[in-house]
Amino acid sequence: MGFTYAHEHLVASPPAWMAERDPDLVILDEEKAVAETLLARDVGVEAMYEASAWDYGRDPLALRRISERTGVRIIGCAGFNKGRWFDDLLADWSVDRLEEQIVADITTGMDGTDVRAGVIKFGTGYNHISPVEERVLRAAARAHRRTGAPLHGHTETGTMVPEQLALLREEGVDTRRVGFVHVTRNPDPWLHREIAKTGAYLCYDGFSKIKYLPESVRIDLLIHLIEAGYERQVVIGGDLARRTDLTTYTGGPGLGYIAGPWLRRFRTELAERGYEEARVKEIVQRLFIDNPATYFDMVPSY
């Protein structure tokens, strides 16, 4: 896939009640999404996973058009996001019904189109897993085992990863096929090592979001995992999902940030810590090219 962002949003919106409350989350302008994707392409991005799920306003046909117009490969999102968005919508859905929709997203197409997804998403709330969230997780695990599509676990503020892992193991999932997103919101090096020990991927995102953490905290977490021997299990994304995150909506820093200014800073910090240039290149290659290619690969069902 080349240089890959592991978690972004191009065309997305939460449920109507939340969109009215927080219109900053509504990013539905396809032309702006094209322009933002071109900014990423101009700094070397060749592929990205667009993580907008069924309950977050995904638009498969728009993603296809954006990919065709920009030349950037886009991976679509099967499954669902988190209970806050879907508990009421899916209250009467059984695990079997959820599983069949996810499988159809992967094998037939999303939302009545022929645009097939390549990743299965599920998610849980802050320090809590609702009954519907558990059903979605189990359905995602079963759909994963049928299709071979990788699993992508939303965490609210980086919580509930051990609990998600326990449920996935109950469903017979190989945890090396799972990635957990937003874990940098919970900057606990011990927890991150424990997740990595299972073979799972950590999707480090939120770079530039100083309202949550200083950038140095996220970079220190990343270097800590590298030095602990887990650099093969980290992928990087921005999760820029607000108008105020995106330059085309007059926000920022936009999709050019990670592959541009952030990557220059990261290289500099590694050099200042004594890393030789060849080793810096190896780390960048692994985080942005090798690891995403392995994580996002479709593997035989089991």
Side-chain angles (χ1 to χ4, degrees), residues 8 16 102 104 106 147 159 170 197 203 218 220 224 287 296:
E8 298 299 345
I102 297 169
I106 298 288
T147 64
T159 65
E170 285 183 16
K197 286 177 184 177
C203 180
R218 285 179 283 260
D220 284 345
H224 171 83
L287 296 178
F296 288 116

Side-chain angles (χ1 to χ4, degrees), residues 4 43 80 91 98 103 107 119 131 137 143 153 159 189 231 235 249 301:
T4 301
V43 290
F80 308 89
L98 292 163
V103 170
T107 60
V119 173
L137 183 150
T159 65
E231 68 186 73
V235 291
Y249 287 93
S301 57

Side-chain angles (χ1 to χ4, degrees), residues 6 11 14 37 59 74 78 95 109 146 190 231 235 254 273 286 296:
V11 179
T37 303
D59 188 335
I74 297 173
V95 174
R146 287 173 61 184
W190 179 87
E231 68 186 73
V235 291
R273 297 184 192 214
R286 191 154 284 153
F296 288 116

Side-chain angles (χ1 to χ4, degrees), residues 34-158:
V34 168
E36 202 73 47
T37 303
L38 288 172
L39 292 175
R41 189 194 69 180
D42 289 348
V43 290
V45 176
E46 298 168 271
M48 66 178 70
Y49 165 48
E50 211 281 0
S52 303
W54 176 88
D55 52 319
Y56 205 74
R58 72 182 179 191
D59 188 335
L61 294 176
L63 296 185
R64 171 187 278 168
R65 292 189 294 267
I66 293 165
S67 180
E68 290 172 344
R69 291 176 63 184
T70 64
V72 174
R73 301 172 184 88
I74 297 173
I75 305 170
C77 175
F80 308 89
N81 192 340
K82 61 183 177 182
R84 189 181 187 195
W85 307 144
F86 64 59
D87 270 348
D88 58 336
L89 300 174
L90 305 177
D92 61 348
W93 287 41
S94 67
V95 174
D96 288 345
R97 181 180 176 185
L98 292 163
E99 177 187 347
E100 291 307 318
Q101 172 158 321
I102 297 169
V103 170
D105 285 346
I106 298 288
T107 60
T108 303
M110 296 176 282
D111 306 330
T113 74
D114 64 349
V115 182
R116 293 179 291 170
V119 173
I120 298 171
K121 188 174 184 180
F122 62 91
T124 56
Y126 177 64
N127 280 328
H128 175 72
I129 299 178
S130 74
V132 184
E133 287 172 340
E134 180 175 341
R135 293 204 301 272
V136 166
L137 183 150
R138 292 187 184 278
R142 296 172 194 181
H144 155 74
R145 294 189 62 187
R146 287 173 61 184
T147 64
L151 287 162
H152 194 75
H154 167 90
T155 71
E156 197 72 0
T157 321

Side-chain angles (χ1 to χ4, degrees), residues 7 42 53 78 89 108 132 176 183 187 201 208 212 235 258 266 273 284 286 300:
H7 185 104
D42 289 348
L89 300 174
T108 303
V132 184
R176 295 173 298 177
V183 289
Y201 286 83
S208 83
Y212 299 132
V235 291
I258 289 178
F266 182 56
R273 297 184 192 214
V284 172
R286 191 154 284 153

